[in-house]
Amino acid sequence: MEDKLVSYGGQAVIEGVMMRGSKALAIAMRAPDGEIALHVEKLAGIYKTRLAKIPFLRGLVLLWDALGLGMRALTISANIQTGEDEKLEGPALYFALGLSLVFSIGLFFLLPATAGGLAEKYLDWNPWLGNVLEGVVRLLLLVGYVWLVGFMPDIRRVYSYHGAEHKTINAFEDGAELTPEIVAGYSREHPRCGTAFLLTLVLMSILLFSLLGPMSLGWRLVSRVLLLPVLSGLAYEYIKWTAGHLDSKIVQALIRPNMALQLLTTFEPDLEMLEISIASFNAMRDADIEFAL
């Protein structure tokens, strides 16, 4: 991917949007009083290190950093909404983040692996069929989860801000003027979305785990956790490659499932949400220029 493609990404947060550039990130949030609250900070130097340039390993390094940035952005936005008296920080914050990570690994990796292992043991399926079942269960859980939580009013608003983030980046990459009315006309799908990464990871897990052959249920569960970093590195490289070859008809066909899944994780934003997303993008761009001097 070229620098322009690598540099600009983002994430929806609670009543706002985080935008990440090459040197800075910015979070714009709608405060309870209706005003726009901005948070800007300089990115860590990890993006310029040698580790961030080694294929496959760079995916783990950058994804780990992105996970930390995303969690911090969500925390900042949540604290804006709750105020000083109910601020989430310290041990309570780390416990909540750790619990979320354990829940995600258990739901999307260990539960499907258990289903596949039990099918092999009690239904006398061969390992290949067991791994296919595991992959199908994992895929259904992912799609079902993002679809079901979208019915929750608070998550629905986050999904709308997610759409605003995509529209803003699409408008910028098209050279359009960033006003809510103009940005509203752009697509809410984007090929570098985190949703695309998750779907790619799930599909690759079917291929990788099918190569492992028969094993006990215990080793099956351990292998899924240990190979998660490998899958993440592979998925990152695939997303990076497709984003750099979007002019290819083959690549356009390959990314259609990823783009289609985004219809579940992005909703159409209103103009006020687009105003927030544009404010975040402009603040990030201004900070990028400032930190480059």
Side-chain angles (χ1 to χ4, degrees), residues 36 41 49 87 92 96 115-116 125 127 133 146 162 248 277 287:
I36 297 178
E41 64 180 70
T49 63
K87 182 176 290 187
W125 287 14
L133 173 64
V146 299
H162 190 193
S248 166
S277 183

Side-chain angles (χ1 to χ4, degrees), residues 25 28 107 151 154 247:
L25 69 82
L107 178 63
F151 288 100
D154 289 344
D247 292 336

